[in-house]
Each structure stands twice: as structure tokens, then as C-alpha cells.
Amino acid sequence: MKNDRERIVIFSGTTEGRSLSEMLSKSGIAHTVCVATEYGELMQPKSELVLLKEGRMNKEDMVSFFDGKNIVIDATHPFATEVTDNIRTACKLAKVKYVRVLREEECCYDDIMTSKYHDDIPSCIKALNQVEGNILFTTGSKDLPEISGLIDDISRVYVRVLPSVTSIQICEEAGIRNDHIIAMHGPFDEDMNLAIIRQYGIKALVTKDSGKAGGVDEKLSACKAADIPCFVIKRPKHETGVSVEEAFELIKDTCETKDQGKQPSHEDGSINQNEVESIREINFSIIGIGMGQKNGLTLEALSAIEAADVVFGAERLIEVAGSKQKYPFYLAKDITNKVEEIIDKGESIQNVAVLFSGDIGFYSGAAKFEEGVRSWSEALGKVEIKISRYPGISSVAALSAKIGESYSDAEIISLHGRNSDEEFDIAANRILHSKKSFILLSTGEDIQKIAKILKNRRADARIIVGDRISYPDEKIQEYRLKNIPAAAARGPVIIFIENLEVQPQSLIPYIEDEEFTRDKTPMTKALIRHEAIRLLNLKAGDIFFDVGSGTGSIAIEAAKLSSTLQVYSYEKKPDAIALQKQNIGKFECQNIRLIEGIAPDSFVNDIYPDAVFIGGSTGRLGDILTYLKESPKTIRVVVTAITLETMNEIYALSKDERIKNLDIRQISESKAQKAGDYHLMKSENAVMVAAFDLDSNN
């Protein structure tokens, strides 16, 4: 059965909407309140019986949203005509009862001679252009773009708007000066209006006829006291509807008729919460607590922890929560299981704080937790969540400040929880090519591991070790790479490395033929190798197949371009496999997976490449391409050939409809060799190179 709060919907954001919601809550009637903005959500009174929906909806959204509803109450602002039209039309299409709540009709201000009525904004602005001096608009932010386009001098416009980010942004986009924006929340009495008029030298005030709830009486009386004109924009059209009280009675009748929405209560009128079939709302605060000590928290984060009913996080982190109810869980599954257990026991829980070390946006588990808690909420069906995020001070920022080294021009690397040789090798490459690096590590042993790799590569560096930053036993020590002690830190650890001999990174990282260990294994020569890699158009993160890889020259050359590439090297000959292992070790390519076997039989299941180089196919070029055609993505392919048979296979590719952008070229190379007192040009075998896109199977 749908939750009772989904049966009754109030479109609010106004005094009338909030009043009606409060009346329903006091009577034990569950309902949904829709507000367009975060500010409207903030102003809405909270209740277990209220399901709050924030965000704007178009007509189509409303039709879908109204499915299964009993009654829709339109308590939006009298000037929100487009919204009202959409709600009314959507109700007709969804065949849902529509009720319009009216604000009291405009008052008679004939006795106030300074009031001037206008049918719309353009006619009002036309009149205002004849008035000298500063003008105060109290019409809200929505119409400011239109106003700024009509007013003769925007510099004399002052605006009073709600104190929200959206309102301020609209003001700025409309060209309103920052010192002319008065961001305040009402209600405003006559004295406050008069004080603003005098403070800013206002010579005319503009308001909409939004009735007593909109504070029109107080604006008019302030204008009279200041002896300035008040320009009043009339309501767009006369509407029919009901009062707040009449809407309340209609809803009660609807609930009794449908036997839905009204909650069982005790004789004293209080609600038995165990009998309420409702969706529980829980606020999750995801908090970065910085280095781990309470004095390193932001005031905003500290307030969120203090407001929490229960606190979760790693054991060392939840110490900051003092005597709060807390559990040493940091995985989404464990946390949601405990929250569900608390709910099932009928215990009160509304605010949950989940603590993460450092900053939640910096190598944090916060994003994964948020994904997990959202999935849990959707699957459970009886909990709706709201997530607030509070950043903390990262260990990099903390150590940077303590040692006086900026991190804006440094490499920032995380090896925390990442202990594979491949990840340490990749990190070492980044460190060697950078002047400064900050590295997050798990333990003091990791310092020795990264130091050993750097020493083996003949690096010279200054290392500052930050051990247990912010804790009472915090220690910061400086060492040279060559004499760093075995027990430099315990953990958690952050280190700063100043590379004293930066190894320049080649802008065109080509490897020459002589650098490879070859023996008698054939190798794709440098000129062809480099042209093939250019034609492959490899991109960061690509999966790349080198088929018939021989010495591994293509695979290695590609792997050295970026550590983000995943390279699969396929070779059938044991001797070539052994040789290639030597070359992979020599060039320290941790991102190559070497596989022995004949392609495509040896291809790893369910892995399709982004790019493929075929240097040797053992006569199975057609089989390889047939396999690749099953890929869900388009593949860039480069094939080389020196035999007439393979060349014929390449020529035949032009007839395949799945092959696009076929580019065939023949490359020949000659090198000068000394012959006595002369030099002769010695030619290598001409090589045909074909590059093309293989269309996906989709």
C-alpha cells in the first residue's frame, strides 16, 4: 500500500501552505509538502507526518507525481500563475481533485494617497522611469531579469530578497550592485520598512499586492510615514478558491471518505507512533573530521556531530563524538544494518553522523558510502534520506601548512591501502619527474618501500615525514633519502618529498631499437613501431591488445606512454615470451599483462580492447577480426604486413562494411652503412601498415 503521506499533496512555500500543513499535523493527518527551493524546505515545519519534496516540477512531472493521489492543494503564491496553471492542468490529466487556497483579497488603500496601482510590471516600470531617486523593489527575485531590462538606470535600484544563494545569484545576474542587495527574511513591520527606506534614501517603493501575509499593509504605512509613493502591482487575475480553514475541512472529509491518511490516536489526541504506517526520514551528515582531533574540526562539522542521534566511523575517529551513542562502523552495509536495527526497535533516530578522516572529497570513502546508503534507502522503501556534506582538513593541507610548503604545484599521490608493486612503481615514476610530491601512506613500512624504489633509480631527495599529524604524539622529521631510518613513522603517515634531481620526462617518449633485448626474436623496428602507435591514437585509460608481440616492443612503448593504459600482450612462442619478460622488467612496465597463446583463442574472456595492434596473426587475421566484431564498442586497429599473403588479406578489408576509415600505406626505410671510404644506403624490408576503425556490434 502506498504510504499515507503520498495521498495528500500541498504545494507550499507560502504562509498559507505552512499553516495548513501544521493544522494537518496537529490532527494526525499525514501528507506531502512540495516546495520549489531549499529556502522553502528550510522554512517548512518538520513533522513525522510530513514527507517533504524539494525541487521544481513541470507539468509532465506533476502528472506522473499525482498518480495515486487523492487530493492536491495549491497553496502557492498568488503571483505564481504559471505554477498554478501547471498544477491545475496536471490534476485534470491525472484525474485528481484540485483545490486552490486563496490569500485574502487585496485591501482597500484609497485612504493612502501615496499608493499607485499598476496592472503589470512593464506599466509599473514605465511610471517609475518618471520618478527620480532610489527605488526599493520588494517584489522578490523572480522578476528581476524583466525589471532590469526595462528600468532606465539599474544603478538606482535596490532590492529586498530572501537570504538564499539562488536569490543572490539572480540579483547579480540582473546587474544589481552587491551593496544594493538587502537579503533578509520577513515578516517586516512598519518600523523595519521605514528604517530601510531612510537608510538607503529610497524615493519610491514597489510591492506586489500579496495581501496581509505579504506584508503590504506595513509597506504602505511605512511609505506614508516617509512621504514617498508606493507602487503596487495588482494580482494577475481574479481566482476562485477556498481559505486555509476550508481546505483543512475538505482534506478531513477526504480522509474520512477514503479511510486513508488519518492516524489512530489515543483518547488524549496524541498519536501512537507504533501505529503510524509512514516513511521515516533520516538526515545523514557525511563529515570529514580532518586529522582526527576535535580541535581540527570545522565549527559546522562539530555542530552536525552534536546534533546527531548516533555517530558512526572508524574507531579512532568516533572518539571526537564524546559520550554520544556511537558505533565503530565505516562501511555503508554495516551502518545501514545498525540504523535499520534501531528503527525496528522503535527507537528515535533522525540525525546520523558518519565520520571520515581528512577531507570527504580527497581520497575518501565518503562517495562510496553515499552510493551505498542511497541504494539501501531505495531497496528498503520505508526510509527516505537527506544527505549533508561537511568538508574537513586533509592531511596534505595540514602537513603543507606545518612545513611551509605549498601543494598547488606538487604531485599528490595516495598509496594508503594500496600496496601492490605496480602502484608503488607508478607512484615512483611520478615522484621522479616532479620537483615536489605529497604522498599518503598506510604505515611506516611503506616509507621504506617507496624509498627503496627511488634509491634503485638513483634518486636524491629530501623527505619530511609527518607521523600522526594533530595527535598529542605528533612527530615531524626531515631526512635525506639515502639515510632514512627503518622506523621513521608508525602511522597514519603523510610524507613530503623534494626531488633534488628531477628526471626530465621526454616529451616524445620513444624507445630506440638498441634499448630492447632482442636475441633472434623478430621485432617491429622503431620507424614502423612509432608510426603504428601514432595511428592507434591511444587515450588515457584505454585497454590495448598487442597481438603477436614478439619482444614486446609495441606493448612496452605503448605502456610507457601512460600508466593508465591496460596493456595485454599476446605471444605464442615460449622463447619470445621469456625475452619479453626481460624487456618488461627492464623498462619497469607494471601495466602489461603478458599472455601466452595463439590469438584469438588466448584472448581474455569478456574483455574487449579500445585499440589493437596486430604484428603477427599466424594466418588468423580473419578469426581475430571476427572475434573483435563482437565488441560493444568501436575498436581502432593497426595491422602490419611484410608477406604478400598478409598484404592480400589487408587489401580484402576494403570490402568489409564494418571497417571504416581504412588507411593503407607502405613504409620503407634505408640507413647509411659504411663501405670502405664510402657510405651506402641499405634498405630494410618494406612494410605495409593498415589502420582502420572496426565498428561495434551495436
Side-chain angles (χ1 to χ4, degrees):
M1 186 181 82
K2 283 184 177 290
N3 185 268
D4 287 341
R5 289 180 300 179
E6 298 183 7
R7 301 293 183 181
I8 301 163
V9 178
I10 301 173
F11 279 82
S12 182
T14 60
T15 303
E16 291 80 9
R18 291 190 288 270
S19 297
L20 179 57
S21 177
E22 286 185 297
M23 292 169 69
L24 293 174
S25 294
K26 288 178 181 178
S27 298
I29 300 176
H31 56 286
T32 295
V33 175
C34 298
V35 294
T37 64
E38 267 187 58
Y39 190 82
E41 180 180 1
L42 180 66
M43 297 304 298
Q44 171 64 33
K46 303 299 183 290
S47 168
E48 286 282 341
L49 297 172
V50 176
L51 174 60
L52 195 58
K53 178 176 175 58
E54 184 259 320
R56 302 183 188 278
M57 289 187 279
N58 59 31
K59 184 167 58 182
E60 290 72 24
D61 295 332
M62 291 177 185
V63 172
S64 176
F65 179 65
F66 291 164
D67 181 38
K69 307 299 187 289
N70 293 135
I71 186 170
V72 173
I73 309 296
D74 178 7
T76 58
H77 197 280
F79 281 82
T81 54
E82 183 179 350
V83 176
T84 288
D85 289 342
N86 284 341
I87 297 172
R88 184 182 288 113
T89 302
C91 283
K92 286 181 180 178
L93 293 171
K95 297 181 181 179
V96 175
K97 183 176 178 62
Y98 169 85
V99 176
R100 174 63 167 149
V101 171
L102 294 181
R103 183 167 289 184
E104 63 180 14
E105 289 294 333
E106 62 187 60
C107 301
C108 179
Y109 306 115
D110 292 342
D111 59 325
I112 301 176
M113 301 305 295
T114 53
S115 59
K116 301 176 183 297
Y117 283 88
H118 295 276
D119 292 329
D120 52 30
I121 288 175
S123 62
C124 180
I125 301 299
K126 184 176 180 181
L128 284 167
N129 284 336
Q130 308 304 314
V131 176
E132 295 183 355
N134 295 337
I135 305 166
L136 175 62
F137 284 85
T138 64
T139 52
S141 59
K142 179 174 173 287
D143 299 307
L144 284 178
E146 181 181 9
I147 290 169
S148 66
L150 296 171
I151 198 77
D152 60 354
D153 183 3
I154 196 70
S155 68
R156 63 192 188 104
V157 170
Y158 287 73
V159 296
R160 188 168 72 195
V161 296
L162 292 173
S164 70
V165 173
T166 302
S167 295
I168 303 300
Q169 185 177 354
I170 293 173
C171 291
E172 292 176 341
E173 290 174 354
I176 308 299
R177 287 172 42 174
N178 287 340
D179 58 341
H180 286 200
I181 301 172
I182 306 165
M184 300 175 69
H185 174 65
F188 304 99
D189 59 18
E190 178 185 332
D191 291 339
M192 176 59 78
N193 286 320
L194 191 56
I196 292 173
I197 289 170
R198 289 172 175 168
Q199 172 72 28
Y200 296 101
I202 301 302
K203 300 303 180 185
L205 184 147
V206 184
T207 182
K208 290 178 178 178
D209 178 21
S210 49
K212 286 188 176 181
V216 176
D217 287 354
E218 290 77 7
K219 295 175 189 176
L220 284 161
S221 58
C223 287
K224 183 178 181 181
D227 194 24
I228 65 171
C230 182
F231 289 74
V232 181
I233 299 172
K234 296 178 183 179
R235 296 191 187 187
K237 59 184 177 180
H238 179 75
E239 290 187 295
T240 58
V242 300
S243 66
V244 171
E245 292 76 14
E246 289 170 330
F248 172 65
E249 293 299 328
L250 279 169
I251 292 171
K252 283 178 62 179
D253 291 343
T254 300
C255 291
E256 291 167 2
T257 300
K258 299 289 184 181
D259 194 26
Q260 293 171 338
K262 190 158 185 173
Q263 305 301 325
S265 60
H266 299 297
E267 290 182 1
D268 62 0
S270 63
I271 299 169
N272 184 346
Q273 293 299 330
N274 293 326
E275 296 173 346
V276 177
E277 183 183 70
S278 61
I279 296 179
R280 186 183 293 260
E281 294 175 23
I282 298 180
N283 302 316
F284 280 89
S285 295
I286 301 178
I287 300 171
I289 70 164
M291 300 303 95
Q293 293 296 288
K294 198 168 185 177
N295 58 7
L297 282 164
T298 66
L299 292 176
E300 192 178 35
L302 185 59
S303 295
I305 293 173
E306 291 174 348
D309 301 311
V310 60
V311 178
F312 295 97
E315 194 160 357
R316 72 178 182 88
L317 303 183
I318 59 176
E319 293 175 4
V320 303
S323 59
K324 285 275 184 184
Q325 182 182 0
K326 53 192 177 184
Y327 299 93
F329 305 145
Y330 53 87
L331 298 178
K333 182 180 179 181
D334 296 331
I335 293 172
T336 53
N337 283 344
K338 176 56 70 172
V339 170
E340 196 170 340
E341 179 185 318
I342 294 171
I343 293 172
D344 290 341
K345 288 180 180 178
E347 297 178 17
S348 175
I349 180 170
Q350 185 173 8
N351 297 309
V352 175
V354 184
L355 310 185
F356 292 90
S357 63
D359 178 33
I360 59 173
F362 182 77
Y363 295 109
S364 173
K368 190 172 182 180
F369 165 76
E370 184 170 334
E371 180 182 339
V373 79
R374 289 191 186 280
S375 298
W376 165 75
S377 172
E378 292 172 4
L380 190 63
K382 64 180 181 181
V383 173
E384 288 196 352
I385 63 171
K386 177 182 177 182
I387 292 179
S388 302
R389 304 166 192 84
Y390 301 90
I393 300 171
S394 71
S395 54
V396 168
L399 183 63
S400 167
K402 288 176 180 291
I403 65 176
E405 291 282 357
S406 168
Y407 58 90
S408 60
D409 56 344
E411 280 280 350
I412 298 176
I413 304 167
S414 177
L415 291 170
H416 183 69
R418 304 173 182 180
N419 297 311
S420 72
D421 292 340
E422 177 183 350
E423 286 166 322
F424 271 76
D425 278 329
I426 291 170
N429 285 333
R430 293 172 63 184
I431 294 167
L432 289 169
H433 296 312
S434 304
K435 178 66 176 174
K436 298 191 302 183
S437 303
F438 285 88
I439 304 100
L440 285 74
L441 301 169
S442 297
T443 67
E445 294 176 0
D446 290 340
I447 301 176
Q448 292 301 314
K449 188 172 181 178
I450 194 70
K452 182 180 179 181
I453 297 172
L454 294 174
K455 287 177 186 177
N456 289 341
R457 300 188 188 181
R458 295 182 291 280
D460 187 14
R462 178 173 73 101
I463 299 180
I464 297 177
V465 178
D467 185 19
R468 291 181 60 79
I469 299 295
S470 89
Y471 287 89
D473 55 347
E474 169 190 299
K475 186 168 68 174
I476 298 176
Q477 297 287 333
E478 181 174 334
Y479 306 98
R480 286 294 287 267
L481 178 64
K482 60 186 177 183
N483 59 12
I484 190 166
R490 294 156 296 169
V493 185
I494 169 93
I495 64 174
F496 167 78
I497 297 181
E498 181 185 12
N499 190 355
L500 301 177
E501 293 182 6
V502 178
Q503 298 181 10
Q505 191 165 9
S506 177
L507 294 178
I508 306 178
Y510 288 156
I511 303 172
E512 296 298 336
D513 291 343
E514 296 76 16
E515 297 181 64
F516 289 99
T517 301
R518 277 193 64 186
D519 198 11
K520 297 180 181 179
T521 300
M523 182 179 73
T524 303
K525 298 296 180 61
L527 181 65
I528 308 302
R529 183 170 68 246
H530 299 157
E531 178 64 6
I533 289 176
R534 184 188 72 81
L535 291 170
L536 284 165
N537 192 25
L538 295 170
K539 297 178 175 60
D542 274 357
I543 297 173
F544 170 54
F545 283 7
D546 180 5
V547 180
S549 51
T551 60
S553 63
I554 291 281
I556 291 168
E557 190 101 58
K560 295 291 285 183
L561 293 175
S562 172
S563 60
T564 67
L565 284 172
Q566 299 177 56
V567 180
Y568 291 79
S569 179
Y570 295 96
E571 174 55 50
K572 68 174 183 176
K573 297 178 181 178
D575 290 347
I577 289 284
L579 196 64
Q580 191 172 155
K581 286 179 179 178
Q582 293 181 43
N583 282 321
I584 290 174
K586 178 180 179 180
F587 291 102
E588 299 174 330
C589 295
Q590 300 294 331
N591 54 332
I592 296 178
R593 181 177 174 184
L594 179 56
I595 299 171
E596 184 174 356
I598 297 175
D601 303 339
S602 58
F603 282 170
V604 178
N605 289 336
D606 300 323
I607 295 180
Y608 288 99
D610 298 284
V612 177
F613 173 77
I614 304 174
S617 61
T618 320
R620 298 190 65 184
L621 178 60
D623 294 337
I624 294 170
L625 295 180
T626 298
Y627 177 93
L628 296 176
K629 286 177 183 178
E630 296 301 315
S631 170
K633 54 188 175 184
T634 298
I635 300 173
R636 184 68 172 159
V637 181
V638 172
V639 185
T640 58
I642 57 173
T643 68
L644 292 175
E645 287 75 15
T646 307
M647 289 180 183
N648 284 333
E649 285 188 273
I650 291 175
Y651 281 127
L653 295 176
S654 60
K655 299 177 182 178
D656 191 328
E657 294 182 355
R658 296 277 294 281
I659 288 176
K660 309 293 183 183
N661 306 315
L662 178 61
D663 178 2
I664 300 175
R665 60 188 69 191
Q666 184 166 290
I667 301 173
S668 60
E669 179 183 9
S670 298
K671 282 189 175 182
Q673 287 192 350
K674 192 170 183 180
D677 295 332
Y678 299 93
H679 288 80
L680 300 176
M681 298 301 295
K682 183 178 179 181
S683 298
E684 300 284 352
N685 290 331
V687 179
M688 178 180 286
V689 180
F692 54 89
D693 294 321
L694 188 60
D695 264 3
S696 69
N697 195 34
N698 294 337

